[in-house]
C-alpha cells in the first residue's frame, strides 16, 4: 500500500507535501526538477519508496492525498496514474 495524490492536486501542485516527506517520495520537486515540475499538472507519490508514514496527508491544503485503500471511488484511477508516472520517469529520478 501507499499514499496517492488525486484530482484536487491537478493544476495546484502545492509543494507542502514535498517539503515534509521524509523519504523524498513526492515528485517532481519544484526546487530540484523545475523542468519536470512545469511539464506535469500534478504531483505524484512513488509507491516503491513511500514508507506510509502519513505526514503528507494533513499537509495538503486541497486534501488531495489519500491512503491507497481510502481513495474515493471516483479517483481510484489516480492510483495507477501515480504509479505510471514513476514507471515512465524512472531514469529521470534514479
Amino acid at each position: 500500500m501507499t499514499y496517492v495524490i488525486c484530482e484536487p492536486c491537478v493544476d495546484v501542485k502545492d509543494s507542502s507535501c514535498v517539503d515534509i516527506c521524509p523519504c523524498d517520495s513526492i515528485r517532481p520537486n519544484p526546487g530540484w526538477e523545475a523542468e519536470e515540475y512545469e511539464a506535469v499538472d500534478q504531483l505524484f507519490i512513488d509507491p516503491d519508496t513511500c514508507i506510509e508514514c502519513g505526514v503528507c496527508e494533513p499537509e495538503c491544503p486541497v486534501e488531495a492525498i489519500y491512503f491507497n485503500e481510502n481513495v474515493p471511488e471516483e479517483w481510484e484511477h489516480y492510483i495507477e496514474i501515480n504509479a505510471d508516472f514513476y514507471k515512465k520517469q524512472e531514469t529521470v529520478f534514479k
Side-chain angles (χ1 to χ4, degrees):
M1 298 297 149
T2 188
Y3 280 83
V4 178
I5 299 178
C6 297
E7 188 172 296
C9 184
V10 174
D11 295 328
V12 174
K13 298 190 298 187
D14 182 275
S15 63
S16 300
C17 59
V18 174
D19 298 336
I20 196 92
C21 180
C23 55
D24 199 25
S25 292
I26 304 173
R27 300 290 185 107
N29 182 316
W32 302 337
E33 298 127 1
E35 187 175 311
E36 290 86 0
Y37 181 79
E38 293 301 322
V40 298
D41 62 356
Q42 74 167 83
L43 300 176
F44 305 92
I45 297 177
D46 185 343
D48 293 331
T49 63
C50 175
I51 61 171
E52 303 168 14
C53 66
V55 297
C56 58
E57 188 175 15
E59 288 298 313
C60 181
V62 294
E63 299 179 5
I65 301 174
Y66 294 87
F67 189 66
N68 191 355
E69 294 176 347
N70 299 329
V71 172
E73 186 175 336
E74 68 267 26
W75 295 334
E76 286 181 347
H77 61 285
Y78 280 90
I79 297 169
E80 188 171 337
I81 289 171
N82 276 252
D84 286 349
F85 174 80
Y86 282 93
K87 289 176 188 171
K88 292 174 187 173
Q89 300 297 322
E90 197 169 58
T91 58
V92 174
F93 300 129
K94 305 284 182 200

